[in-house]
Amino acid sequence: MLKGAEHSLTLERFYEIATEGRRAEIDAALARFPASARIRSPIAIGLRAMKSVSDGDVPGATALLKRAVAHCEGRERQYLLELLIPLLLNAQRIDETEEALAVADDSAPELAPAFSAIRAIVAARQGNDAASAWFAREALENGRAVDNPMIVGRVLSRTALAAFYREDFDEAQDRAVEAARWYERLESHRNAAMAYSILYVIANDWIGDPDVARFYARRMTMSAHLAEDLSIENAGLVAQMDIAAEAGDVRRFESLRARLRERPLN
């Protein structure tokens, strides 16, 4: 149980709910907190942040997580950092990502492989392929031994992304397929959709196989739909629409565009 908690939520269960990305479970966890605690408890703020992620409001989620990190310490802070750092990295805020990684310590040793996998991505983005490959190997060796399936999944998906940035596309595909299948077994559909997005980009932009790209774009769309994440679902529809346009498939293109217009996002 979290110290001073006004709810029945362990730190491990909070992390599981936050990383699985199921909107109903996030809402149910938030409902355990009194109204006053939802604006001051770092864990409640973390849940609100992940709800913002599912709504496509990544800047809002980042601001909330930075606030939560600033108001806690120890293991609680490490778990919140582990949620914050990927958002900073995805927003191309590399300096802030490195600053946040520098705060990571050994108070939550089970998170070490997840942080190593993030370091693999950062190193690859900076062109240091040797360091990236080293961090990735360390993350995979230690991550597969962790007794937390969500940490294992995050290590797999992050090492896939690191390999992608190193332009080691065979490794990227292997890890992304492993991550997608892992997340599907856990019924963590949003994370599966993100893994399929890596596979789609490789197939479409680097291998140039429209059939494989279409397959992964559809898997991405389907997984996002199951996760009720409209932003990723629409990204999958746009990917399919792009393939249809390249193929000159006007009927398919118009059908996909109609689906996008039914539920538009900014």
Side-chain angles (χ1 to χ4, degrees):
M1 189 76 64
L2 296 172
K3 185 178 180 180
E6 301 172 85
H7 50 83
S8 56
L9 192 67
T10 64
L11 185 55
E12 291 75 14
R13 180 55 182 155
F14 154 73
Y15 180 76
E16 183 181 358
I17 292 168
T19 52
E20 283 178 347
R22 299 188 186 110
R23 179 63 177 270
E25 291 188 2
I26 293 173
D27 287 340
L30 267 174
R32 299 183 184 187
F33 291 81
S36 59
R38 293 176 199 174
I39 61 174
R40 59 180 173 79
S41 164
I43 295 304
I45 295 170
L47 289 168
R48 288 168 52 204
M50 301 317 292
K51 184 174 179 177
S52 293
V53 169
S54 69
D55 288 336
D57 180 12
V58 175
T62 303
L64 284 169
L65 282 170
K66 290 180 77 172
R67 176 181 158 197
V69 166
H71 289 86
C72 64
E73 57 186 18
R75 294 184 72 243
E76 191 171 290
R77 191 182 198 192
Q78 297 307 302
Y79 274 88
L80 288 163
L81 275 171
E82 206 283 328
L83 299 176
L84 169 64
I85 290 171
L87 302 186
L88 295 173
L89 184 59
N90 291 342
Q92 317 300 323
R93 294 156 70 170
I94 304 298
D95 290 343
E96 289 183 65
T97 300
E98 291 186 301
E99 290 173 5
L101 278 170
V103 180
D105 59 35
D106 60 358
S107 57
E110 65 275 16
L111 294 179
F115 286 128
S116 291
I118 281 285
R119 291 186 173 96
I121 299 174
V122 172
R125 293 291 301 274
Q126 295 172 333
N128 192 341
D129 289 355
S132 174
W134 188 90
F135 281 124
R137 284 195 299 271
E138 180 183 59
L140 287 166
E141 288 173 7
N142 296 326
R144 288 193 171 105
V146 172
D147 188 23
N148 185 316
M150 292 310 297
I151 292 175
V152 176
R154 285 164 85 81
V155 166
L156 291 172
S157 58
R158 289 173 184 177
T159 52
L161 189 57
F164 173 82
Y165 284 125
R166 295 196 305 269
E167 297 189 9
D168 184 349
F169 299 123
D170 288 338
E171 173 71 12
Q173 286 184 100
D174 288 346
R175 297 290 76 74
V177 167
E178 189 178 359
R181 290 173 177 169
W182 183 269
Y183 281 129
E184 285 178 338
R185 286 196 295 271
L186 299 175
E187 296 184 355
S188 181
H189 300 297
R190 184 180 187 278
N191 289 305
M194 297 302 291
Y196 282 123
S197 73
I198 297 173
L199 292 163
Y200 159 73
V201 172
I202 293 172
N204 191 61
D205 297 349
W206 295 94
I207 298 176
D209 188 322
D211 293 328
V212 175
R214 185 182 301 108
F215 171 78
Y216 286 132
R218 287 174 173 170
R219 297 293 297 185
M220 174 183 169
T221 307
M222 180 189 70
S223 295
H225 180 75
L226 291 172
E228 298 181 351
D229 190 313
L230 183 58
S231 61
I232 301 178
E233 183 178 354
N234 278 5
L237 291 173
V238 169
Q240 292 184 64
M241 195 165 68
D242 182 54
I243 296 169
E246 289 287 339
D249 188 342
V250 176
R251 179 177 296 180
R252 180 67 175 158
F253 179 89
E254 293 296 340
S255 173
L256 290 163
R257 184 163 66 174
R259 288 176 63 186
L260 281 168
R261 286 176 171 171
E262 289 174 2
R263 295 192 294 170
L265 289 177
N266 186 316

